[in-house]
Coordinates of all heavy atoms in Angstrom, one line a residue:
E385 N -18.7 -1.5 16.8 CA -18.8 -2.4 18.0 C -19.8 -3.6 17.7 O -20.8 -3.3 17.2 CB -19.3 -1.6 19.2 CG -19.4 -2.4 20.5 CD -19.8 -1.5 21.7 OE1 -20.0 -0.3 21.5 OE2 -20.1 -2.1 22.8
G386 N -19.4 -4.7 18.2 CA -20.3 -5.9 18.0 C -20.2 -6.6 16.6 O -21.0 -7.5 16.3
L387 N -19.2 -6.2 15.8 CA -19.0 -6.8 14.5 C -18.5 -8.2 14.7 O -17.5 -8.5 15.4 CB -18.0 -6.0 13.7 CG -17.6 -6.6 12.3 CD1 -18.8 -6.4 11.4 CD2 -16.4 -5.8 11.7
T388 N -19.2 -9.2 14.1 CA -18.8 -10.6 14.3 C -18.3 -11.2 13.0 O -17.5 -12.2 13.0 CB -19.9 -11.5 14.8 OG1 -21.0 -11.4 13.9 CG2 -20.4 -10.9 16.2
A389 N -18.7 -10.8 11.8 CA -18.4 -11.3 10.5 C -18.7 -10.4 9.4 O -19.5 -9.4 9.6 CB -19.1 -12.6 10.3
A390 N -18.1 -10.6 8.2 CA -18.4 -9.7 7.1 C -18.0 -10.5 5.8 O -17.1 -11.4 5.9 CB -17.6 -8.4 7.1
W391 N -18.6 -10.2 4.7 CA -18.3 -10.8 3.4 C -18.5 -9.8 2.3 O -19.3 -8.9 2.5 CB -19.0 -12.1 3.2 CG -20.5 -12.1 3.1 CD1 -21.4 -12.2 4.1 CD2 -21.3 -12.0 1.9 NE1 -22.7 -12.1 3.6 CE2 -22.6 -12.0 2.3 CE3 -21.0 -11.8 0.5 CZ2 -23.7 -11.9 1.4 CZ3 -22.0 -11.6 -0.4 CH2 -23.3 -11.7 0.0
R392 N -17.9 -10.1 1.2 CA -18.0 -9.1 0.0 C -17.9 -9.9 -1.3 O -17.1 -10.9 -1.4 CB -17.0 -8.0 0.1 CG -16.9 -7.1 -1.1 CD -15.9 -6.0 -1.0 NE -16.2 -5.2 0.2 CZ -15.2 -4.4 0.7 NH1 -14.0 -4.3 0.2 NH2 -15.5 -3.6 1.8
I393 N -18.7 -9.5 -2.3 CA -18.6 -10.1 -3.6 C -18.5 -8.9 -4.6 O -19.2 -7.9 -4.5 CB -19.8 -10.9 -4.0 CG1 -19.6 -11.6 -5.3 CG2 -21.1 -10.2 -3.9 CD1 -18.6 -12.7 -5.4
I394 N -17.5 -9.0 -5.6 CA -17.3 -7.9 -6.6 C -17.2 -8.5 -8.0 O -16.1 -8.9 -8.4 CB -16.0 -7.1 -6.2 CG1 -16.1 -6.6 -4.8 CG2 -15.9 -5.9 -7.2 CD1 -14.8 -5.9 -4.4
P395 N -18.2 -8.5 -8.8 CA -18.0 -8.7 -10.2 C -17.6 -7.4 -10.9 O -18.0 -6.3 -10.5 CB -19.4 -9.1 -10.7 CG -20.4 -8.5 -9.7 CD -19.6 -8.4 -8.4
S396 N -16.7 -7.5 -11.9 CA -16.0 -6.3 -12.4 C -15.8 -6.5 -13.9 O -15.5 -7.7 -14.4 CB -14.7 -6.1 -11.7 OG -13.9 -5.0 -12.4
F397 N -15.9 -5.4 -14.7 CA -15.6 -5.5 -16.1 C -14.9 -4.2 -16.4 O -15.3 -3.1 -16.1 CB -16.8 -5.6 -16.9 CG -16.6 -5.6 -18.4 CD1 -16.0 -6.7 -19.0 CD2 -16.8 -4.4 -19.2 CE1 -15.7 -6.7 -20.4 CE2 -16.5 -4.4 -20.5 CZ -16.0 -5.5 -21.2
K398 N -13.7 -4.3 -17.2 CA -13.0 -3.1 -17.6 C -12.4 -3.3 -19.0 O -12.3 -4.4 -19.4 CB -11.8 -2.8 -16.5 CG -10.9 -4.0 -16.3 CD -10.0 -3.7 -15.1 CE -9.1 -4.8 -14.7 NZ -8.3 -4.6 -13.5
V399 N -12.1 -2.2 -19.6 CA -11.6 -2.2 -21.0 C -10.2 -1.4 -21.0 O -10.2 -0.3 -20.5 CB -12.5 -1.5 -21.9 CG1 -12.0 -1.5 -23.4 CG2 -13.9 -2.3 -21.9
Q400 N -9.2 -2.0 -21.5 CA -7.9 -1.4 -21.7 C -7.7 -1.0 -23.1 O -7.5 -1.8 -24.0 CB -6.8 -2.3 -21.2 CG -5.4 -1.8 -21.2 CD -5.1 -0.9 -20.0 OE1 -5.2 -1.3 -18.9 NE2 -4.7 0.4 -20.3
L401 N -7.7 0.3 -23.4 CA -7.4 0.8 -24.7 C -6.1 1.6 -24.7 O -6.1 2.8 -24.5 CB -8.6 1.7 -25.2 CG -10.0 1.1 -25.2 CD1 -11.0 2.1 -25.6 CD2 -10.0 -0.1 -26.3
G402 N -5.0 0.9 -25.0 CA -3.7 1.5 -24.9 C -3.5 2.0 -23.5 O -3.5 1.3 -22.5
K403 N -3.3 3.3 -23.3 CA -3.1 3.9 -22.0 C -4.3 4.3 -21.3 O -4.2 4.8 -20.2 CB -2.1 5.2 -22.2 CG -0.7 4.8 -22.7 CD 0.2 6.0 -22.8 CE 1.6 5.7 -23.2 NZ 2.3 4.8 -22.3
F404 N -5.4 4.2 -21.9 CA -6.7 4.5 -21.3 C -7.4 3.3 -20.8 O -7.6 2.3 -21.4 CB -7.6 5.3 -22.4 CG -8.9 5.7 -21.8 CD1 -9.0 6.6 -20.8 CD2 -10.1 5.1 -22.3 CE1 -10.2 7.1 -20.3 CE2 -11.3 5.5 -21.7 CZ -11.4 6.5 -20.8
L405 N -7.9 3.4 -19.5 CA -8.6 2.3 -18.9 C -9.9 2.8 -18.3 O -9.9 3.8 -17.6 CB -7.7 1.7 -17.8 CG -8.3 0.6 -16.9 CD1 -8.6 -0.7 -17.6 CD2 -7.4 0.4 -15.7
F406 N -11.0 2.1 -18.5 CA -12.2 2.4 -17.8 C -12.9 1.1 -17.5 O -12.8 0.1 -18.2 CB -13.1 3.4 -18.7 CG -13.7 2.8 -19.9 CD1 -14.9 2.2 -19.9 CD2 -13.0 2.8 -21.1 CE1 -15.5 1.6 -21.0 CE2 -13.5 2.2 -22.2 CZ -14.8 1.6 -22.2
G407 N -13.8 1.2 -16.5 CA -14.5 0.0 -16.1 C -15.5 0.3 -15.1 O -15.7 1.4 -14.5
V408 N -16.4 -0.7 -14.7 CA -17.4 -0.6 -13.7 C -17.3 -1.8 -12.8 O -16.9 -2.9 -13.2 CB -18.8 -0.5 -14.4 CG1 -19.0 0.8 -15.1 CG2 -19.1 -1.7 -15.3
E409 N -17.7 -1.6 -11.6 CA -17.8 -2.7 -10.6 C -19.0 -2.6 -9.8 O -19.5 -1.5 -9.5 CB -16.5 -2.6 -9.6 CG -15.2 -3.0 -10.2 CD -14.1 -3.0 -9.2 OE1 -14.3 -2.4 -8.1 OE2 -13.1 -3.6 -9.5
Y410 N -19.5 -3.7 -9.3 CA -20.6 -3.8 -8.4 C -20.1 -4.5 -7.1 O -19.5 -5.5 -7.2 CB -21.8 -4.5 -8.9 CG -22.8 -4.9 -7.9 CD1 -23.6 -3.9 -7.3 CD2 -23.0 -6.2 -7.4 CE1 -24.6 -4.2 -6.3 CE2 -23.9 -6.5 -6.4 CZ -24.7 -5.4 -5.9 OH -25.6 -5.7 -4.9
H411 N -20.3 -3.8 -6.0 CA -19.8 -4.4 -4.7 C -21.1 -4.6 -3.8 O -21.9 -3.8 -3.7 CB -18.9 -3.4 -3.9 CG -17.7 -3.0 -4.5 ND1 -16.5 -2.8 -3.8 CD2 -17.4 -2.7 -5.8 CE1 -15.5 -2.5 -4.7 NE2 -16.0 -2.4 -5.9
Y412 N -21.1 -5.8 -3.3 CA -22.1 -6.0 -2.2 C -21.3 -6.5 -1.0 O -20.6 -7.5 -1.0 CB -23.1 -7.1 -2.5 CG -24.1 -7.2 -1.4 CD1 -25.1 -6.3 -1.2 CD2 -24.1 -8.3 -0.5 CE1 -26.0 -6.4 -0.2 CE2 -25.0 -8.4 0.6 CZ -25.9 -7.4 0.7 OH -26.8 -7.5 1.8
T413 N -21.3 -5.6 0.1 CA -20.6 -5.9 1.3 C -21.6 -6.1 2.5 O -22.5 -5.2 2.7 CB -19.7 -4.8 1.7 OG1 -18.8 -4.5 0.6 CG2 -18.8 -5.1 3.0
A414 N -21.6 -7.2 3.2 CA -22.5 -7.5 4.3 C -21.7 -7.6 5.5 O -20.6 -8.2 5.5 CB -23.3 -8.8 4.0
A415 N -22.2 -7.1 6.6 CA -21.6 -7.2 7.9 C -22.6 -7.7 8.9 O -23.7 -7.2 9.0 CB -21.0 -5.8 8.4
Q416 N -22.1 -8.6 9.8 CA -23.0 -9.1 10.9 C -22.6 -8.4 12.2 O -21.5 -8.5 12.6 CB -22.8 -10.6 11.0 CG -23.8 -11.3 12.0 CD -23.5 -12.8 12.2 OE1 -22.4 -13.1 12.5 NE2 -24.6 -13.6 12.0
Y417 N -23.6 -7.9 12.8 CA -23.4 -7.2 14.1 C -24.3 -7.9 15.2 O -25.3 -8.7 14.8 CB -23.9 -5.7 14.1 CG -23.0 -4.9 13.2 CD1 -23.3 -4.6 11.9 CD2 -21.8 -4.3 13.8 CE1 -22.5 -3.8 11.1 CE2 -21.0 -3.5 13.0 CZ -21.3 -3.2 11.7 OH -20.5 -2.4 10.9
G418 N -24.0 -7.7 16.4 CA -24.8 -8.2 17.5 C -24.7 -7.4 18.8 O -23.9 -6.4 18.8
K419 N -25.4 -7.8 19.8 CA -25.4 -7.1 21.1 C -24.8 -8.0 22.1 O -24.4 -9.2 21.9 CB -26.9 -6.8 21.5 CG -27.6 -6.0 20.4 CD -27.0 -4.6 20.2 CE -27.8 -3.8 19.1 NZ -27.2 -2.5 18.8
S420 N -24.8 -7.5 23.4 CA -24.2 -8.3 24.5 C -22.9 -8.9 24.3 O -22.7 -10.1 24.3 CB -25.2 -9.4 24.9 OG -26.5 -8.9 25.1
V421 N -21.9 -8.0 24.1 CA -20.5 -8.4 23.9 C -20.0 -9.1 25.1 O -20.0 -8.5 26.2 CB -19.6 -7.2 23.4 CG1 -18.2 -7.6 23.2 CG2 -20.2 -6.6 22.1
N422 N -19.5 -10.3 25.0 CA -19.0 -11.0 26.2 C -17.6 -10.6 26.5 O -17.0 -9.8 25.8 CB -19.2 -12.5 26.0 CG -18.4 -13.1 24.8 OD1 -17.4 -12.5 24.4 ND2 -18.7 -14.2 24.4
N423 N -17.0 -11.3 27.5 CA -15.7 -10.9 27.9 C -14.6 -11.5 27.0 O -13.4 -11.5 27.3 CB -15.4 -11.4 29.4 CG -15.6 -12.8 29.6 OD1 -16.0 -13.6 28.7 ND2 -15.3 -13.3 30.8
Y424 N -15.0 -12.1 25.9 CA -14.0 -12.5 24.8 C -14.2 -11.5 23.6 O -13.6 -11.8 22.6 CB -14.2 -13.9 24.4 CG -13.7 -14.9 25.4 CD1 -14.5 -15.4 26.4 CD2 -12.3 -15.4 25.3 CE1 -14.0 -16.3 27.4 CE2 -11.9 -16.3 26.3 CZ -12.7 -16.7 27.3 OH -12.2 -17.6 28.2
G425 N -15.0 -10.5 23.7 CA -15.2 -9.5 22.7 C -16.1 -10.0 21.6 O -16.1 -9.3 20.5
L426 N -16.9 -11.0 21.9 CA -17.9 -11.5 20.8 C -19.3 -11.1 21.2 O -19.7 -11.4 22.3 CB -17.7 -13.0 20.7 CG -16.4 -13.5 20.1 CD1 -16.3 -15.0 20.2 CD2 -16.3 -13.1 18.6
A427 N -20.0 -10.6 20.2 CA -21.5 -10.4 20.4 C -22.2 -11.7 20.4 O -21.9 -12.7 19.7 CB -22.0 -9.5 19.3
T428 N -23.2 -11.9 21.3 CA -23.9 -13.2 21.5 C -25.3 -13.2 21.3 O -26.0 -14.2 21.1 CB -23.6 -13.7 23.0 OG1 -24.1 -12.7 23.9 CG2 -22.1 -14.0 23.2
T429 N -25.9 -12.0 21.2 CA -27.4 -11.9 21.0 C -27.7 -10.9 19.9 O -26.9 -10.1 19.5 CB -28.1 -11.4 22.3 OG1 -27.7 -10.1 22.6 CG2 -27.8 -12.3 23.5
D430 N -28.9 -11.1 19.4 CA -29.4 -10.2 18.3 C -28.5 -10.1 17.1 O -28.2 -9.0 16.6 CB -29.7 -8.8 18.9 CG -30.5 -7.9 17.9 OD1 -31.2 -8.4 17.0 OD2 -30.3 -6.6 17.9
L431 N -28.0 -11.2 16.7 CA -27.1 -11.3 15.5 C -27.9 -11.0 14.3 O -28.9 -11.6 14.0 CB -26.4 -12.6 15.4 CG -25.5 -13.0 16.6 CD1 -24.9 -14.4 16.3 CD2 -24.3 -12.0 16.7
H432 N -27.4 -10.0 13.5 CA -28.1 -9.6 12.3 C -27.2 -9.1 11.2 O -26.1 -8.6 11.6 CB -29.2 -8.6 12.6 CG -28.6 -7.3 13.2 ND1 -28.3 -7.3 14.6 CD2 -28.3 -6.1 12.7 CE1 -27.8 -6.1 14.8 NE2 -27.8 -5.4 13.7
W433 N -27.6 -9.2 10.0 CA -26.8 -8.7 8.8 C -27.2 -7.4 8.3 O -28.4 -7.1 8.2 CB -26.7 -9.8 7.7 CG -26.0 -11.0 8.1 CD1 -26.5 -12.1 8.6 CD2 -24.6 -11.3 7.9 NE1 -25.6 -13.1 8.8 CE2 -24.4 -12.6 8.3 CE3 -23.6 -10.6 7.3 CZ2 -23.1 -13.2 8.3 CZ3 -22.3 -11.1 7.2 CH2 -22.1 -12.4 7.7
V434 N -26.2 -6.6 7.9 CA -26.5 -5.3 7.3 C -25.7 -5.2 6.0 O -24.5 -5.6 6.0 CB -26.2 -4.1 8.2 CG1 -26.4 -2.8 7.5 CG2 -26.9 -4.2 9.5
G435 N -26.4 -4.8 4.9 CA -25.6 -4.9 3.6 C -25.6 -3.5 2.9 O -26.5 -2.7 3.1
N436 N -24.6 -3.3 2.1 CA -24.4 -2.1 1.3 C -24.2 -2.5 -0.1 O -23.4 -3.3 -0.5 CB -23.2 -1.3 1.8 CG -23.0 0.0 0.9 OD1 -23.8 0.8 0.8 ND2 -21.8 0.0 0.3
H437 N -24.9 -1.7 -1.0 CA -24.7 -1.9 -2.5 C -23.8 -0.7 -2.9 O -24.2 0.5 -2.7 CB -26.0 -1.8 -3.2 CG -26.9 -2.9 -2.8 ND1 -27.0 -4.2 -3.4 CD2 -27.9 -3.0 -1.8 CE1 -27.9 -4.9 -2.8 NE2 -28.5 -4.2 -1.8
R438 N -22.7 -1.0 -3.6 CA -21.8 0.1 -4.1 C -21.7 -0.2 -5.6 O -21.4 -1.3 -6.1 CB -20.5 0.1 -3.5 CG -19.4 0.9 -4.3 CD -18.1 1.1 -3.5 NE -18.2 2.2 -2.5 CZ -17.2 2.9 -2.1 NH1 -16.0 2.6 -2.5 NH2 -17.3 3.8 -1.2
I439 N -21.9 0.9 -6.4 CA -21.6 0.9 -7.8 C -20.5 1.8 -8.1 O -20.5 3.0 -7.6 CB -22.9 1.3 -8.6 CG1 -24.0 0.4 -8.4 CG2 -22.6 1.4 -10.1 CD1 -25.3 0.8 -9.0
L440 N -19.4 1.4 -8.7 CA -18.2 2.1 -8.9 C -17.9 2.2 -10.4 O -17.9 1.2 -11.1 CB -17.1 1.5 -8.1 CG -15.7 2.1 -8.2 CD1 -14.9 2.0 -6.8 CD2 -14.8 1.4 -9.3
A441 N -17.5 3.3 -10.9 CA -17.0 3.5 -12.2 C -15.6 4.2 -12.1 O -15.4 5.1 -11.3 CB -17.9 4.3 -13.1
M442 N -14.7 3.8 -12.9 CA -13.3 4.4 -12.9 C -12.9 4.7 -14.3 O -13.1 3.9 -15.3 CB -12.3 3.4 -12.3 CG -10.9 4.0 -12.1 SD -9.7 2.8 -11.6 CE -9.3 2.0 -13.2
F443 N -12.3 5.9 -14.5 CA -11.7 6.3 -15.8 C -10.2 6.8 -15.5 O -10.0 7.6 -14.6 CB -12.5 7.5 -16.3 CG -13.9 7.2 -16.5 CD1 -14.8 7.4 -15.5 CD2 -14.4 6.7 -17.7 CE1 -16.2 7.2 -15.7 CE2 -15.7 6.4 -17.9 CZ -16.6 6.7 -16.9

Side-chain angles (χ1 to χ4, degrees):
E385 183 179 352
L387 179 69
T388 61
W391 62 271
R392 177 179 296 166
I393 185 75
I394 307 176
S396 172
F397 178 75
K398 54 190 174 184
V399 180
Q400 182 80 57
L401 300 174
K403 294 182 178 296
F404 181 64
L405 174 69
F406 69 92
V408 292
E409 286 183 344
Y410 168 71
H411 297 219
Y412 183 75
T413 305
Q416 186 184 53
Y417 292 94
K419 306 296 182 183
S420 304
V421 177
N422 62 21
N423 58 356
Y424 286 89
L426 292 173
T428 57
T429 63
D430 190 24
L431 297 178
H432 57 279
W433 289 90
V434 179
N436 175 62
H437 302 271
R438 165 171 280 204
I439 300 173
L440 177 147
M442 188 190 77
F443 304 88

